[in-house]
Amino acid sequence: YSGVADHTITKAVKEALDIPVIANGDIVDLQSLERVRDITGADGFMIARGALGRPWIFAELQGKDASHDTKSDIYEHISVLQKYMSDFTVANVMKLQLCYYAKGGRDAKAVRVEIGKAKAIEDIFAIVEKYFFWEFCRKKSIWIIFILRVFDKYIFLFFNFHPLWQY
């Protein structure tokens, strides 16, 4: 998939027909949806790749609260798949999905490397715990306390992962 969708074709179809027309292509956020709506005048819109790893996009596009916790979203995604598929199949499906969830994140490359090694659902859970825990901490402003024993004295290190922190 390369290039940009040509929405003038959808506009021409919409102008030529008296039936509902659905536009799609390059809709990844509210701004792109509004741009496609303005260009095409379409009656509806489809989102495909724009939703991969971003299931909250549908709330965002409706102007609803799109706050989310990616780690929880992933576990819910796995839970739904497990109702219909074996754990082996879920693990294989989630390999691709985890790449999308990690896209643009600071550990995206490491996630892809670990996914290449994953063989079972337990491996998928380990990847989620390892790479999506820190995002959870940042969003929830969680304090992490490390207690170190150095020369028979205890040192306490406090870290606050606040949602406003940027990498």
Side-chain angles (χ1 to χ4, degrees):
Y1 301 98
S2 63
V4 179
D6 183 358
H7 294 293
T8 59
I9 296 169
T10 307
K11 179 180 181 176
V13 170
K14 172 66 179 161
E15 291 171 349
L17 300 175
D18 291 328
I19 61 172
V21 173
I22 308 297
N24 70 311
D26 302 328
I27 301 173
V28 296
D29 55 25
L30 187 56
Q31 293 79 19
S32 59
L33 173 68
E34 290 170 350
R35 180 180 52 79
V36 173
R37 181 185 299 137
D38 292 344
I39 292 170
T40 66
D43 301 291
F45 306 90
M46 290 190 302
I47 298 151
R49 286 178 286 141
L52 292 172
R54 300 178 58 226
W56 54 88
I57 190 173
F58 300 102
E60 178 185 301
L61 295 178
Q62 294 174 7
K64 297 178 181 175
D65 179 23
S67 61
H68 65 281
D69 168 28
T70 303
K71 182 179 173 183
S72 296
D73 291 343
I74 292 169
Y75 278 121
E76 183 176 350
H77 193 159
I78 291 170
S79 176
V80 169
L81 291 177
Q82 285 178 317
K83 291 178 183 175
Y84 304 99
M85 302 174 183
S86 70
D87 280 353
F88 177 79
T89 304
V90 171
N92 286 321
V93 168
M94 286 308 297
K95 285 180 176 185
L96 176 62
Q97 297 306 316
L98 285 180
C99 289
Y100 285 114
Y101 279 110
K103 188 176 180 180
R106 77 172 199 196
D107 292 324
K109 183 176 180 179
V111 170
R112 289 192 306 272
V113 169
E114 291 291 324
I115 287 169
K117 301 173 190 175
K119 303 283 187 229
I121 194 71
E122 293 77 19
D123 300 329
I124 299 299
F125 290 140
I127 292 167
V128 173
E129 288 301 318
K130 182 175 181 180
Y131 292 104
F132 294 93
F133 174 74
W134 297 110
E135 177 183 340
F136 172 77
C137 291
R138 282 195 330 271
K139 289 183 177 176
K140 302 296 183 187
S141 188
I142 290 179
W143 284 89
I144 304 293
I145 303 170
F146 292 98
I147 304 171
L148 304 175
R149 186 174 181 189
V150 181
F151 302 115
D152 292 327
K153 297 189 189 237
Y154 290 96
I155 299 173
F156 295 86
L157 302 174
F158 298 88
F159 295 93
N160 181 284
F161 294 90
H162 192 276
L164 297 179
W165 287 11
Q166 299 294 318
Y167 291 118

